[in-house]
Amino acid sequence: INAGIDFSLFSRRLYGKIDYYSKQGSDILGRVTIPMVQGSRNEVFNNAEISNQGVEVMLGTEMPISKDWHWSGQITFAYNKNKVKSLYNNSLAYYTMVQGGAQVEGYALNPLFSYSYGGVQNVGSESKPLMKPVVNLTDGEVMPFGGTTTMEGRDFLVYQGTTVAPCNIGMSHTISYRDLSLAFTLTGKFGHKFRRTGFNYAGRGGIP
């Protein structure tokens, strides 16, 4: 589906366009985890199905203020929502998902996954306690920072959102006086997530 309308009113004192689209893509390239016996952890195959939905709006004006003064402006808005509808992965390593770049069925095309912080807990014994910061796994299990687990990332990682902004807004204006013009543009991106870089303390294995 791809539908839109363009309009111009009052001698272009108000003009614009509105577009809506909904697309389903198949045989899209996707990264799939494979057994290491093949010589690589993952490869790219064209076996993904992705949905894309969005709307784009543009409104503008051409406004003569006086004989010598003229003002023109535009406002644009775009929103996109995508989702991986189908992508078979036998298993997904948690560190691959946390580092980014993994496409996961049922989530946005550029997902951000994070650990669930479990606080500082005793990972030793009662007689020899060893207090360490941990992350939550499943069924009450925890993993110390820097530790490893055989659990798959989809079982315990937390989905935070998409790393690509779904909402984009822009605005541009031009004010003219005879042959002299002043123009400026403002843009903004909203709705996405990013992971802030932590400070690496010396001697702590890079754990912030």
Side-chain angles (χ1 to χ4, degrees):
I1 300 175
N2 195 338
I5 182 173
D6 293 18
F7 61 90
S8 178
L9 305 171
F10 315 117
S11 300
R12 285 185 64 82
R13 281 175 169 81
L14 177 63
Y15 64 91
K17 62 179 181 178
I18 302 173
D19 293 300
Y20 169 79
Y21 59 89
S22 178
K23 300 179 180 180
Q24 307 291 325
S26 59
D27 295 330
I28 307 297
L29 293 176
R31 190 167 294 278
V32 177
T33 302
I34 62 175
M36 274 296 292
V37 70
Q38 304 294 332
S40 174
R41 289 185 183 275
N42 51 70
E43 289 293 340
V44 176
F45 297 94
N46 59 329
N47 69 333
E49 294 182 12
I50 299 174
S51 66
N52 262 295
Q53 290 181 314
V55 61
E56 297 177 356
V57 179
M58 187 274 287
L59 296 175
T61 182
E62 298 280 350
M63 187 71 67
I65 300 174
S66 66
K67 179 182 177 181
D68 298 323
W69 287 91
H70 182 270
W71 168 58
S72 63
Q74 281 189 0
I75 296 176
T76 58
F77 170 83
Y79 178 80
N80 172 268
K81 181 180 180 181
N82 56 61
K83 184 178 181 180
V84 179
K85 303 288 288 186
S86 175
L87 178 60
Y88 175 75
N89 256 311
N90 185 47
S91 64
L92 278 171
Y94 62 91
Y95 46 81
T96 300
M97 295 176 64
V98 170
Q99 291 169 358
Q103 287 85 42
V104 184
E105 183 177 313
Y107 295 93
L109 185 59
N110 303 97
L112 178 67
F113 290 94
S114 300
Y115 297 109
S116 171
Y117 180 56
V120 178
Q121 298 187 27
N122 180 18
V123 296
S125 61
E126 292 186 4
S127 59
K128 294 183 178 179
L130 180 60
M131 306 302 293
K132 283 189 174 183
V134 299
V135 296
N136 295 315
L137 299 179
T138 58
D139 300 325
E141 295 186 52
V142 297
M143 176 179 69
F145 277 24
T148 59
T149 179
T150 57
M151 289 187 180
E152 187 185 315
R154 286 176 289 191
D155 293 334
F156 65 91
L157 292 179
V158 179
Y159 175 65
Q160 304 273 265
T162 176
T163 59
V164 176
C167 182
N168 291 267
I169 299 175
M171 179 175 61
S172 62
H173 294 278
T174 301
I175 301 174
S176 304
Y177 176 73
R178 295 185 178 179
D179 295 329
L180 181 65
S181 297
L182 174 65
F184 67 91
T185 301
L186 297 175
T187 60
K189 297 183 177 183
F190 306 93
H192 60 303
K193 305 289 185 178
F194 68 95
R195 182 173 290 115
R196 189 170 56 184
T197 303
F199 183 80
N200 291 331
Y201 292 91
R204 294 179 181 263
I207 301 173

